[in-house]
Each structure stands twice: as C-alpha cells, then as structure tokens.
Amino acid sequence: MNKELIKDIKELLSVPRKIVITTHYKPDADALGSSLAMYSYLIKKGHDVIVITPSDYPWFLSWMVGNDKVLIYDAEKERSLNNTIKAFNNAEIIFCLDFSVMERVQDLRGILEKAPGIKILIDHHLEPQHFAKYEMWDTTAAATAELVYDFITAMGDEDKIDIPIAECIYAGIMTDTGSFRFPNTTAKVHLIIAALIAKGINNFKIHSLVYDNNSEDRLRFIGYSLSEKLRILKDKKTAYFCITAEELKKFKSKTGDTEGLVNYALSIEGINFAALLIERPDAIKLSFRSRGEFSVNEFARKYFEGGGHRNAAGGTSNLTITETENKFIDILKHTNIA
Ligand code: 5GP
Ligand code: MN
C-alpha cells in the first residue's frame, strides 16, 4: 500500500472520528465482510462508526459480527432515510468498500455524492470513477477483504485483527475466489488465509455457514432451474438461465437464493460464457461469468450498463425479461466467444 496515503490516513484516524462505511447494492460476502471487518476494527480504534448498506443482503451472511448494527437504507424507507441522511451529513470520513462506480449504490447515490466527509475507497473492480480523495484500488486483489487486511496491516494494527474481524475477511476472500479456486487465488491469498487461520478462526465453520445452510425451497429452486431453465448455445460456447419473477415467487426466493446459480452454467464442458437473467422488481439483473480470455466486464459495460471483473461481472436491463433475453441472444450472434 502507498506509504504516503497510509501516513495521511493514520493522521486522519489519530483522533476519534465520525465514520460511515458503505458498500454496493445487494452486498455479497466480500462487500459485507469487508464493511463489518472495517467496522469492528475502527470501533476498536475508538471511532464512532456506522455501516449503511443500500439494500438488504443474503441471509447466509447474518452470522457476521456487527450484522445487527447495519443500517439498511431501503428497509424502512422513512426512518432509514432520515437516519441515513443524518449519518452521511455528520460523517467526517466515509469508507466506500467493494465498489468504484457510483451507480452501484443505486438510490443512495445522491446522498453519498452530497456528503461532505472525506471519502476513502477500497476496491478491486475494473475501471473506477475517481470520486474519493483517497483510493486503495487494486484490481490484482482477489477481494476487497484482501485489501482491508492489507490496510489494517499497513496501519501497523495486525494485532487488532481478532476472531470476528478475521472471520469477516475470510468470508470475503473465500467467496470472491470461489473457495480458493478461481484464477485470482494467488500465493498472497493463501498467505493471508494462513495468517487468519493461525489467529484461531474456524474456517470449516465459515464454509458451512455460507454454503451448507440451504432452505429446502432454495435447493428445489436450483433443481428446477437446472432441469427446466438451463439453455445451452453450443456453437457460442454459452449457457444461461432466464428466471422470471413468478418463478422466484413460486420458490419463495429470498435475497441470496440465486447466488452461485450462474456457476453451474459455466461448469459445463465446452462452455466459456455463462449468464443469469433475473426479473427483479425494479429491473432485470444480469450476472455474467467466463472462462479464459472473454471479458464479461467489457460485455456488461458495452451492452448492459454494468461492469465488474474480466471473468465475473454484472449489469441491468430496463426491458422486459423476454426482450432482455432476445437482446442477449442477438448480441451473441455477432460476439466471438473464445
Ligand atoms: P454478481 O454477478 O455476483 O452480482 O456480480 C459479479 C461481479 O460483478 C461482482 O464483482 C460485482 O460487484 C460486479 N457487478 C455486478 N453487477 C454490477 C453492475 O450492475 N455494475 C457493475 N459495475 N458491476 C457489477
Ligand atoms: Mn469483491
């Protein structure tokens, strides 16, 4: 990490501060894990801290220490709105974690943009907007949680990483590396994970809490999607699912229930590009995954107002679900998937 930047932030944090930590819409394990690791760390340092998320997040993250203190902006609009505006206006420092384009905080954007506090960004996504005064932005990092670990260590506070903080960091790295199997799983990732385990965390427990905690509805939904909804375009090396709101309702789908589904499509032999199109209340949400050189970041950016990483990205569409599927198929006709 940049020494000058760390020196400045050390100075900033040398007296108790009012701090807001925020992250992207529908936070995943990396977004929430990074936020709550940072929350516990900054509380330990004597600051007044609040984590504000633009929306709710998957149920399988509710074990994270600090989860009960998170202010969910779109939960109880009226009350949350007032508390959110107050917190952002009062914050001297605002940590922006696991996102680097403003669109990703959705309706929170106006409040965040206007907030007068010093913004500090920690992120690993491609092509950032530069809205923060301080940036710890590194696309070679497997997860934002890896950068949070680096940050705390660079601050000279490695000893402040206790079990709850270590568990949150572990979960973020675990999920963003697909349980340590994606190409972003570097030697450094394993060294950090080793250091976290050496602190005494129960790594097996974290895998269980995140991956072996399914409801019957969720498992039946995955079964239904695999048997009825998987479409394969062999000559395009592409496989995708298109899920309607009605289907989500039928399986009592909760936030997080569709996570990981797109990976099944990518696991098929000969498939290098996978997509998941979901009809959400506000818009169609798209998830993209690829193997090898084909950049889903560029694909999402060019056609679906999105972005992410080369092999994992997302986007949105304001067409209907059927129109979105047709658009997707049309684009594929003139797209070369290596
Ligand atoms: P997922 O498909 O799991 O929602 O997201 C995959 C990756 O793409 C994650 O790193 C996520 O942060 C990013 N991503 C998902 N949706 C969007 C989007 O609409 N815009 C941008 N810029 N990135 C996204
Ligand atoms: Mn991430």
Side-chain angles (χ1 to χ4, degrees), residues 24 101 104 125 285 287-289 305-309 312-316:
H24 61 76
V101 292
R104 299 237 50 216
H125 290 93
K285 170 77 190 142
S287 279
F288 303 113
R289 300 290 185 274
E305 298 158 43
H309 311 284
T316 52

Side-chain angles (χ1 to χ4, degrees), residues 30 98 124-125 144 176:
D30 188 29
D98 202 40
H124 67 137
H125 290 93
T144 297
D176 267 25

Side-chain angles (χ1 to χ4, degrees), residues 15-70:
V15 291
R17 298 286 190 186
K18 287 196 176 66
I19 300 175
V20 165
I21 298 170
T22 195
T23 186
H24 61 76
Y25 186 74
K26 294 284 175 188
D28 55 10
D30 188 29
L32 193 71
S34 296
S35 300
L36 290 178
M38 194 61 111
Y39 170 80
S40 294
Y41 166 65
L42 293 170
I43 290 277
K44 267 192 164 178
K45 298 272 283 178
H47 302 287
D48 176 357
V49 195
I50 180 163
V51 176
I52 302 178
T53 60
S55 73
D56 68 339
Y57 42 82
W59 43 268
F60 52 79
L61 303 179
S62 57
W63 55 269
M64 288 180 174
V65 170
N67 154 72
D68 53 332
K69 307 262 175 21
V70 173

